[in-house]
Amino acid sequence: MCGIVGYVGTQQAVPLLIRGLRRLEYRGYDSAGIALQSESDGLRVAKAAGKIVNLENEIADWDFSCHLGIAHTRWATHGEPTQLNAHPHTDTNHEIAIVHNGIIENYRALKEFLTRQGFDIRTDTDTEILVHLIRFSYQGDLTKAVRLALTQVEGTYGVAVVSSLHPGQIVAARMGSPLVIGHGNGENFVASDVSAMLDHTNRVVYLENGEIATVSANDYHVTNIENEQIIPQVEEVSWTLEQIEKGGYDHFMLKEIYEQPHTLQQATRIRLNKDEGIPRLNGLNLQQEELRRIKRVYITACGTSWHAGLVGEYMIEELARIPVEVEYASELRYRSPIFDPESVFFAISQSGETADTLAALREARYHGITCLGIVNVVGSSIARETDGGVYIHAGPEIGVASTKAFTSQVIVLGLIATLLGRMRDLSVQQGQEIIEAMEKIPDQVEHILSQADAVKAIAQEYYKSNNFLYLGRGINFPVALEGALKLKEISYIHAEGYPAAEMKHGPIALIDENMPVVVIALRDAVYDKVMSNIQEVRARRGRIIAIANEGDTEIADKVNHVIYIPETYRLLTPLLSIVPLQLLAYYIAVMRGCHVDQPRNLAKSVTVE
Ligand code: G6P
């Protein structure tokens, strides 16, 4: 989820690359770097941790009369967002520089190979491996060396490579991570998305997977991985810059909702080991014996991450039979919690910087128990202060209301629960069944998203309501809480989530024809009970929107609206049931004219108490 921009032409490259990086900053912003190529000085590289302004300070006294360069803004996946790990990475001779988006999955094997060949690996990144591999393959033709190196790579990449041995040339290649060539007048661009070049040209060539381009100021050649020539199709972009940053979606929140099939895949890729039914979570840094000894699990978090933690409680208790306690970080930090020495503590946080979660983590550390993180932002404070953990790899989440981070946290908790279960009584078949169900989840989410118009129609009917009630039972009770939170955060409608049966002990007094009630009514052990709760709402003229399983035609007669979702392994249902609720909240907020991505009074990352 990083950003790449490259330029070759007659203008000064530096200001142009910096402006391009700024356009891409929404994609990742933990560190940045630039490599310039000039006839006189060869390659010049600068990098800085933090925002792009830090990079600007770094190069403030540089001579800008240079007309070719590549630049990168990073969203860390391998290695902390330090200056050393920032891109571009260079070979040992400082003659080749690379910027890279994506993940090299076989980087460990490649690293061992290169180390055996005598290469000195200096950073924690997978990208540095690539530049050494290019050097290893280099015999006078840069494009050929890039092609040869990439044939050794498993994973995803969008790369731009420059070399002092090939002045006036950028080599760009794509597999999985988008890469675009911008076609200008006596100048050409390379970027991970068109927003970085749209100030200069709207004529672009989108590289396809496996394609490699050799780009100079007046020309570009595209070939495929077999070295067959490709005739590039030049397209004209008609979108505005703002539309493009949002990928054509009206809001970041909607974009992030639609990214979930991809982010769920990212969270599980290379972690699903179907043969043994045991997820691979090496980042936990725990041996099998240590995993078996765990007697209790504590989970702490805030907001949406806390809801994910509640789902995790159901998963871990059922699959691993280990008692779990989930607590708001803000409460935990001021109690005197009693920590079992043979327990593990999970801090869940999208940002990895939430002040209360960090303070609760420090309290747990003080008690000497193993502390782990489930975090999105690589190298964030929580990631650094834990003994190990699992990154969710959801990419930057810009919308204040968390969506894709929630589903990724939940699927990662599912992996952890399955791992802990397999270290105890969960059979290999059960492990495999869960992993197979996880593999299907991205397509199932995609299928739910294809029904967005139906959700929008429901939103149209209820967007003027002043109150909403969300009901769910079992593992879908936290989903009711999260659905209600989504609605109140962005639409400012009062919404409450409740365990369905608990409704009788208070909220039922509120129900009349003006109270829409969202009920998660999936075919599971408590289905009949939830149907009774639906009858109770109906008897008081409440309007019911049900989330039900496909094929459940009976429910349609008992409620006002049904949104159908596919069946999955019971403990994974929150991954599907939350999606229509995210969409419902989104459409209602838009119809009420609310500022969806930056709701009033809220902050994306709450770094104060
Ligand atoms: C804020 C955000 C929420 C988020 C919560 C916890 O309240 O608005 O969307 O769930 O913080 O953030 P974290 O980064 O720790 O998950």
Side-chain angles (χ1 to χ4, degrees), residues 25-46:
E25 207 172 10
Y26 75 96
R27 293 173 65 92
Y29 31 71
D30 56 38
S31 50
I34 192 165
L36 297 178
Q37 186 205 70
S38 77
E39 303 270 342
S40 49
D41 298 338
L43 276 188
R44 219 165 158 196
V45 175

Side-chain angles (χ1 to χ4, degrees), residues 2-5 14-34 46-60 71-75 86-87 196 245:
C2 318
I4 289 176
V5 57
V14 173
L16 210 138
L17 291 172
I18 294 289
R19 207 173 322 130
L21 284 186
R22 288 207 178 287
R23 295 267 183 231
L24 297 173
E25 207 172 10
Y26 75 96
R27 293 173 65 92
Y29 31 71
D30 56 38
S31 50
I34 192 165
K47 316 199 243 189
K51 299 261 183 199
I52 287 161
V53 66
N54 298 355
L55 176 66
E56 283 185 279
N57 293 336
E58 196 76 18
I59 59 172
H72 190 262
T73 172
R74 180 165 184 246
W75 171 262
H87 303 206
E245 285 173 0

